[in-house]
Amino acid sequence: MAGIVVSQEKIQDINGVIKLCPFGAIEEKNGAVEINAACKMCMICVKKGPEGAFVYQEDEKVEVDKSKWTGVAVYVDHSDGDIHPVTFELIGKAKELAAKINQPVYAVFIGNNIKDKAEELLYYGVDEVFVYDNISLKDFRIEPYSAAFEDFIGKTQPSIVLVGATTLGRSLAPRIAARFKTGLTADCTILDVKENTDLVQIRPAFGGNIMAQIITPNHRPQFATVRYKIFNAPEKTENTSGKITVCELSEDKLVSKINVLKIKQKEVEENISDAEVIIVAGRGIKQEKDLEMINELAKALGGQVAVTRPLIELGWGDARKQIGLSGRTVRPKLIITCGVSGAVQFKAGMMNSEFIFAIDENPSAAIFDVAHYGIVGDIYEVIPSLLEKIKSL
Amino acid sequence: MEIIVCIKQVPGTDEVKVDERGNLIRDGVDSKMNPYDLYAVETALKIKEEKGAKVNVITMGPPQSEAVLREAFMMGVDDAYLLTDRKFAGADVLATAYALSQGVQKTGSPQLIICGKQTTDGDTAQVGPEMAEYLGIPHVANAKKIIELRENSIVVEVDMANTLEVVEVQYPCLVTVEKGIFQPRLPSYKRKLATKDRTITYISLKDLNDQDEKQYGINGSPTQVERIFPPDANTDQEIWTGKGDDLGNKMFDKLTELKFI
């Protein structure tokens, strides 16, 4: 079995090696050093421990035949045939990846009365769209949708499957990944592909200021989800060369233990993902009423107000206005962060903005790593001064 | 009725950094129950109060994770299970979901499995749906309201991107709940005293139906972390320092130049 093997005789300082592990996974039991279930396989003990004390032992694995899995597939996220824009962004990325390994781009489109909507996808450069169009697929219910997705994967054997990290995608993708017992990496912010078709998936990890590069070296297909507004949608082309394939599912695959009783359209609300100008309030805001200053600035610049996770936890903001991996991803023309320290979770949600102004007192705040204009100062001085200037126009 | 809630211990802080060599630096080992799981526990307890149910909790992790199970006792759950084994170390989403799906089967025969929407350390929201797949039961993610508890099913309101959907799911099933579905109760000191001697049942690999080591921990994990590194800094940037007034003026000039004013 693969794992980290501990050689007790090579360890002199037991307390020293226990301290090596940032996750507290190295412990002493009856005088012997053991690795417990908290281990995250970060390999620090292998790299930093006494020579030979911790050795990573790999298995001889049955290698998956990667040549049998070809194509980069995109799940078409939609509501009633109205295609979610994240789909086009993923098609753009899929084309880029597919070109590198010389493979086709597929799309899988599951729903009801969607056949005529499939053509649009061809104009974004998809080689083949697989359509599952059935009345039983009208509402999103996990079993029939999974069955259609499974059927598609069985037919095409794609190497890579990209799914938008929408509410639906985050529910569906894990289900299919588990069905194929393969890897799924959530919320990737960078994707690339190696010559051997291994997908290079980069995402913020461990809840902290760290990026992790993740691969799925011995399983296919490789699943990844990506949020809206991380990648760019390609230009629509004038001509198409791809084709549409309509697929059928047998009735027994369409049964479900879920019954959708009622669907209510949500009121169209201000959506920070669509805003061109965003002013963000962070932990630097000392009390709730001080948000007024942020509102004023947003109003003056014709933008929307967003917040960071700590403010949501304080109950000072609406969760729909939260930027970051547990909130929304935004890509406005202008973003001004006010008293935001810049946790990686937050930065991942806004770092693709066109102009980033960051105001924070702490000159070593991580937000300054992504800012185009870093303003090291007190928000309680800088913002009123800026507002005064704008008002005097 | 039997309900099991899956909970996780997460770091109490997100102050994790990487040094120049790409190694993790983590100060202190402060930890807490994943905040989203508090809503899951509360949901189960609300169902118990309304309809009567046995509410159990399970977590996977090192023995220190007992702390979150004790916390769940203080909120009012009945039994607690700790899924722990060195063989589970290094598990990714798939291996975690598999171990939990095996563990849950050792706790009885729950009709309803409740999970928080996601964790604050992984933020993936994948373990719940993957568990449901392994258990061969339907799941519904992002429930924000319980509409009705029926004899053989639960009716919930689900928050989709553009719609609110009222969905009925037959038991046995798995539901992940949104933050805010109910206000989680605070752990009670009285219950702390009352439950301090209550046993936590340990479940290790040898207790599970599937004891094939290849399915668990690093061996059962298709994904591999190739490297960790600090995020790129933006190199094309200007840093301004000075008095608040001057900085405000400077911002005004720049925003005007960029035509935002």
Side-chain angles (χ1 to χ4, degrees), chain A residues 1-4 22-24 34-44 47-48 56 58-59 61 79 140 142-143 167-168 170-171 174-175 177-179 181-187 194 202-203 205-217 219 225 257-266 277 283 301 309 312-313 325-326 333-334 336 343-345 347 355 357 359 368-377 381-382 385-386 389-390 393, chain B residues 14-19 21 23-26 29 35-36 61-64 84-86 88-94 98 117-118 120-126 129-130 132-134 136-142 150 155 157 159-170 179 213-215 218-219 221-234 236-249 251-255 258 260-261:
Chain A
M1 285 298 114
I4 294 173
F23 300 102
E34 282 187 8
I35 294 174
N36 69 27
C39 173
K40 299 256 192 280
M41 286 290 163
C42 71
M43 308 288 168
I44 284 181
K47 283 185 217 149
K48 293 276 181 81
Y56 177 61
E58 224 170 338
D59 270 0
K61 280 196 179 144
S79 82
F140 172 61
I142 196 68
E143 309 100 314
T167 314
L168 191 154
R170 285 164 80 104
S171 182
R175 193 93 201 191
R179 189 159 298 184
K181 294 202 168 199
T182 185
L184 164 59
T185 307
D187 296 330
K194 297 184 183 178
I202 296 178
R203 78 178 299 257
F206 300 126
N209 298 328
I210 296 167
M211 304 297 285
Q213 178 170 323
I214 297 163
I215 54 166
T216 309
H219 292 75
T225 67
K257 290 186 172 150
I258 298 174
N259 196 358
V260 178
L261 304 174
K262 198 164 76 182
I263 297 181
K264 203 165 49 184
Q265 285 298 319
K266 271 197 230 167
V277 174
R283 234 189 297 224
L301 295 170
R309 183 145 84 189
I312 297 287
E313 282 172 4
L325 275 191
S326 46
K333 290 205 166 75
L334 169 67
I336 302 177
V344 90
Q345 303 278 5
K347 289 190 289 185
F355 288 103
F357 285 69
I359 316 171
F368 292 128
D369 297 344
V370 296
H372 302 102
Y373 299 96
I375 297 115
V376 185
E381 290 172 12
V382 179
S385 145
L386 171 61
K389 277 283 245 178
I390 298 175
L393 281 176
Chain B
D14 54 11
E15 296 297 310
V16 187
K17 294 216 164 79
V18 181
D19 68 14
R21 288 161 150 178
N23 291 328
L24 287 171
I25 312 164
R26 193 179 272 206
V29 281
Y36 292 100
Q64 301 91 287
T84 188
D85 199 303
R86 304 178 38 192
F88 300 154
D92 72 355
V93 171
L94 193 80
Y98 190 67
K117 163 183 150 166
Q118 64 196 47
T120 52
D121 61 346
D123 265 322
T124 71
Q126 292 171 350
E130 293 210 350
E133 172 66 22
Y134 276 129
I137 59 174
H139 82 265
V140 171
N142 300 74
R150 297 185 179 169
V155 182
E157 184 177 84
D159 196 354
M160 299 298 280
N162 305 313
T163 53
L164 288 174
E165 307 193 358
V166 177
V167 174
E168 181 191 14
V169 206
Q170 283 171 39
K179 182 174 172 170
E213 286 183 23
K214 285 202 184 78
Q215 305 294 333
I218 188 159
N219 297 299
S221 299
T223 62
Q224 220 176 66
V225 176
E226 254 191 332
R227 65 185 178 111
I228 50 175
F229 56 99
D232 278 346
N234 192 341
D236 181 21
Q237 63 172 188
E238 290 178 22
I239 298 288
W240 305 341
T241 51
K243 289 221 303 267
D245 267 4
D246 300 339
L247 291 171
N249 289 339
M251 264 187 93
F252 177 82
D253 293 342
K254 186 49 91 178
L255 290 170
L258 296 171
F260 288 110
I261 294 174

Side-chain angles (χ1 to χ4, degrees), chain A residues 2-157:
Chain A
I4 294 173
V5 178
V6 187
S7 301
Q8 306 294 343
E9 72 283 0
K10 297 202 169 133
I11 298 171
Q12 259 107 47
D13 173 14
I14 292 185
N15 286 325
V17 299
I18 287 172
K19 283 195 195 116
L20 278 175
C21 181
F23 300 102
I26 301 177
E27 58 185 10
E28 186 205 325
K29 259 196 190 152
N30 310 323
V33 171
E34 282 187 8
I35 294 174
N36 69 27
C39 173
K40 299 256 192 280
M41 286 290 163
C42 71
M43 308 288 168
I44 284 181
C45 56
V46 176
K47 283 185 217 149
K48 293 276 181 81
E51 179 96 39
F54 298 92
V55 176
Y56 177 61
Q57 210 166 57
E58 224 170 338
D59 270 0
E60 292 245 350
K61 280 196 179 144
V62 186
E63 288 286 326
V64 64
D65 184 355
K66 293 174 185 174
S67 69
K68 290 212 170 103
W69 297 84
T70 56
V72 182
V74 173
Y75 173 75
V76 180
D77 198 291
H78 69 101
S79 82
D80 275 331
D82 200 0
I83 297 171
H84 191 293
V86 71
T87 309
F88 302 117
E89 297 171 0
L90 293 183
I91 290 172
K93 179 52 75 176
K95 277 166 67 176
E96 206 182 295
L97 299 172
K100 280 193 182 169
I101 48 176
N102 202 15
Q103 291 187 359
V105 174
Y106 302 134
V108 53
F109 198 0
I110 304 170
N112 182 43
N113 268 333
I114 51 166
K115 263 179 214 147
D116 52 329
K117 311 265 170 55
E119 201 178 331
E120 188 184 356
L121 296 162
L122 299 179
Y123 288 96
Y124 288 89
V126 176
D127 295 301
E128 191 168 356
V129 183
F130 293 79
V131 179
Y132 291 83
D133 194 333
N134 190 297
I135 182 77
S136 303
L137 297 166
K138 183 175 173 293
D139 301 319
F140 172 61
R141 293 176 306 165
I142 196 68
E143 309 100 314
Y145 267 64
S146 302
F149 211 139
E150 180 185 2
D151 186 77
F152 161 75
I153 288 171
K155 273 198 175 77
T156 54
Q157 300 245 42

